[in-house]
């Protein structure tokens, strides 16, 4: 996390008694020496209750502060060690996700955190979560309970060393650095996952008009693997990360392999990029990322490349 940055936590209105997002937001805020803002957007009040507007907001703010104090005590954080503010305001008939994104653009928050919306399958994201993943220019942290604690928290960073442009390369470096910084905060285990394919193998193997010896196909595949692995090693070295990590270099499509890896490793936090191109207004989310997100059961930290332009206007 960026030191002395600004973190925005999207509250449920003081109902975060066991909120993984609030606990994680507090831990990240303290570790990064970041100011924490808790925001709650409530539905428009009926006209007949307008005179209760202030009392209603005070009631909600009190509930949020109580939840914050409870989570702070759970983590052993002294009140004086936490810089925070609480914002409670009416949604004003604007979708909450759009309001949040506008706040991010105007205020310059460095990270947006919320609890992932409950899904019966326990995997994937929906509604407001997906809007934030697609359109929010700041990194988005969608929290779920961790399977592990202590020094066994498992963090997976998924990267592609074969960048088509500089923005993608810089994003991959940032993903690695964020993963390493989370290891410092959560004292966990870092897995670096990268997938490679020999895209022309099926064409060369099964087209009747050409016959390629099996040994030649194997050698060509090995050449692709070695080249990809070399690029991955170079990218990790360039990132400058110093923590202990495990590299998993897997053959196949990332949208097919990464969800299975997350399940097998019981990953607690997945760190990934959500957009594969830079500077394109309205380019929301990459197909590969979206397909992985649909099957993600754990906390997700999604980053966008430098230069991403949100389609939401301030």
């Amino acid at each position: 996390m960026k030191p002395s940055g600004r973190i925005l936590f999207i509250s449920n209105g003081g109902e975060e008694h066991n909120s993984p997002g609030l606990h994680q937001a507090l831990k990240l805020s303290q570790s990064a020496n970041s100011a924490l803002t808790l925001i709650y957007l409530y539905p428009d009040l009926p006209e007949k209750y307008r005179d209760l507007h202030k009392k209603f907001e005070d009631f909600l703010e009190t509930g949020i502060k109580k939840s914050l104090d409870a989570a702070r005590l759970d983590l052993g954080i002294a009140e004086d060690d936490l810089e925070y503010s609480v914002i409670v305001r009416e949604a004003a008939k604007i979708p909450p996700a759009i309001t949040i994104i506008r706040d991010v653009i105007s205020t310059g928050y460095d990270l947006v955190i919320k609890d992932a919306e409950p899904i019966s399958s326990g995997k994937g994201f929906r509604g407001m979560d997906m809007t934030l993943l697609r359109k929010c220019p700041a990194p988005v942290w969608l929290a779920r309970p961790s399977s592990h604690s202590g020094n066994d928290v498992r963090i997976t960073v998924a990267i592609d060393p074969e960048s088509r442009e500089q923005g993608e390369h810089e994003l991959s470096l940032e993903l690695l650095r964020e993963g390493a910084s989370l290891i410092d905060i959560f004292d966990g285990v870092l897995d670096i996952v990268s997938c490679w394919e020999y895209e022309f193998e099926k064409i060369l193997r099964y087209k009747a008009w050409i016959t390629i010896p099996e040994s030649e196909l194997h050698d060509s595949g090995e050449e692709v693997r070695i080249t990809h692995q070399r690029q991955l090693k170079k990218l990790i070295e360039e990132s400058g990360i110093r923590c202990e990590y495990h590299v998993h270099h897997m053959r196949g499509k990332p949208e097919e392999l990464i969800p299975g890896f997350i399940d097998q490793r019981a990953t607690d936090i997945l760190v990934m990029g959500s957009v594969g191109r830079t500077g394109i207004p309205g380019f929301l989310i990459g197909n590969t990322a979206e397909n992985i997100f649909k099957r993600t059961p754990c906390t997700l930290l999604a980053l966008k490349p430098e230069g991403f332009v949100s389609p939401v206007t301030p």
Side-chain angles (χ1 to χ4, degrees):
M1 297 294 106
K2 295 181 180 179
S4 302
R6 305 184 69 179
I7 297 175
L8 180 65
F9 174 71
I10 304 172
S11 172
N12 292 324
E15 298 179 0
E16 295 96 356
H17 306 296
N18 296 301
S19 162
L22 183 56
H23 282 73
Q24 291 163 13
L26 285 170
K27 196 160 188 176
L28 291 167
S29 176
Q30 184 192 40
S31 299
N33 191 30
S34 299
L36 176 64
T37 299
L38 298 89
I39 187 170
Y40 177 67
L41 302 173
Y42 61 87
D44 298 342
L45 287 176
E47 191 64 35
K48 63 180 179 179
Y49 297 128
R50 284 292 163 183
D51 58 334
L52 300 176
H53 195 278
K54 181 65 168 60
K55 288 184 178 180
F56 184 58
E57 288 191 350
D58 289 345
F59 170 77
L60 290 170
E61 183 173 339
T62 298
I64 292 169
K65 288 181 177 178
K66 285 182 178 179
S67 292
L68 177 68
D69 285 340
R72 179 179 56 77
L73 290 172
D74 284 346
L75 295 172
I77 300 174
E79 187 172 6
D80 292 342
D81 292 339
L82 182 64
E83 179 186 352
Y84 76 92
S85 58
V86 177
I87 298 173
V88 176
R89 71 171 188 257
E90 201 170 32
K93 298 181 180 179
I94 299 173
I98 302 303
T99 299
I100 294 297
I101 293 169
R102 287 176 175 170
D103 281 359
V104 169
I105 294 171
S106 62
T107 307
Y109 291 107
D110 297 292
L111 177 65
V112 176
I113 300 177
K114 74 179 293 292
D115 287 312
E117 296 184 31
I119 294 181
S120 58
S121 67
K123 295 185 177 183
F125 306 96
R126 63 179 183 179
M128 183 177 181
D129 295 351
M130 289 305 301
T131 301
L132 292 173
L133 288 172
R134 289 167 173 151
K135 301 180 181 182
C136 182
V140 174
W141 180 293
L142 299 174
R144 286 191 168 113
S146 295
S147 300
H148 306 90
S149 59
N151 59 5
D152 196 33
V153 173
R154 298 180 184 180
I155 299 167
T156 295
V157 177
I159 56 172
D160 180 4
E162 295 183 328
S163 304
R164 292 167 291 181
E165 56 181 59
Q166 187 61 27
E168 291 183 12
H169 179 75
E170 294 298 329
L171 176 60
S172 293
L173 293 174
E174 185 65 18
L175 291 168
L176 287 167
R177 291 164 184 158
E178 287 290 353
S181 72
L182 292 178
I183 290 298
D184 292 337
I185 295 170
F186 292 96
D187 298 323
V189 179
L190 180 62
D191 290 309
I192 299 173
V193 176
S194 190
C195 302
W196 66 279
E197 287 187 277
Y198 181 26
E199 295 182 359
F200 300 107
E201 181 177 8
K202 288 184 179 179
I203 295 176
L204 296 175
R205 187 185 297 275
Y206 299 115
K207 289 297 182 181
W209 49 268
I210 188 171
T211 300
I212 303 293
E214 190 66 32
S215 59
E216 189 173 330
L217 286 173
H218 176 271
D219 290 345
S220 297
E222 273 296 287
E223 184 178 343
V224 172
R225 182 187 68 80
I226 292 170
T227 299
H228 190 275
Q229 192 172 47
R230 187 181 298 120
Q231 291 173 321
L232 177 60
K233 182 179 179 181
K234 182 179 178 181
L235 184 70
I236 295 172
E237 290 175 351
E238 185 181 349
S239 72
I241 62 174
R242 293 290 180 265
C243 65
E244 182 180 347
Y245 56 82
H246 307 281
V247 177
H248 306 267
H249 193 227
M250 304 186 295
R251 182 172 185 172
K253 296 182 181 298
E255 59 266 41
E256 295 174 358
L257 296 180
I258 291 176
F261 177 87
I262 293 170
D263 288 340
Q264 182 183 21
R265 289 287 290 171
T267 293
D268 296 298
I269 303 171
L270 171 65
V271 183
M272 263 191 63
S274 62
V275 174
R277 299 176 189 174
T278 58
I280 304 176
F283 190 88
L284 305 182
I285 193 167
N287 287 334
T288 296
E290 179 132 9
N291 288 333
I292 293 172
F293 295 163
K294 287 177 181 177
R295 298 171 59 190
T296 297
C298 61
T299 292
L300 170 68
L301 172 58
L303 279 67
K304 296 181 179 67
E306 192 73 28
F308 170 81
V309 180
S310 174
V312 176
T313 55

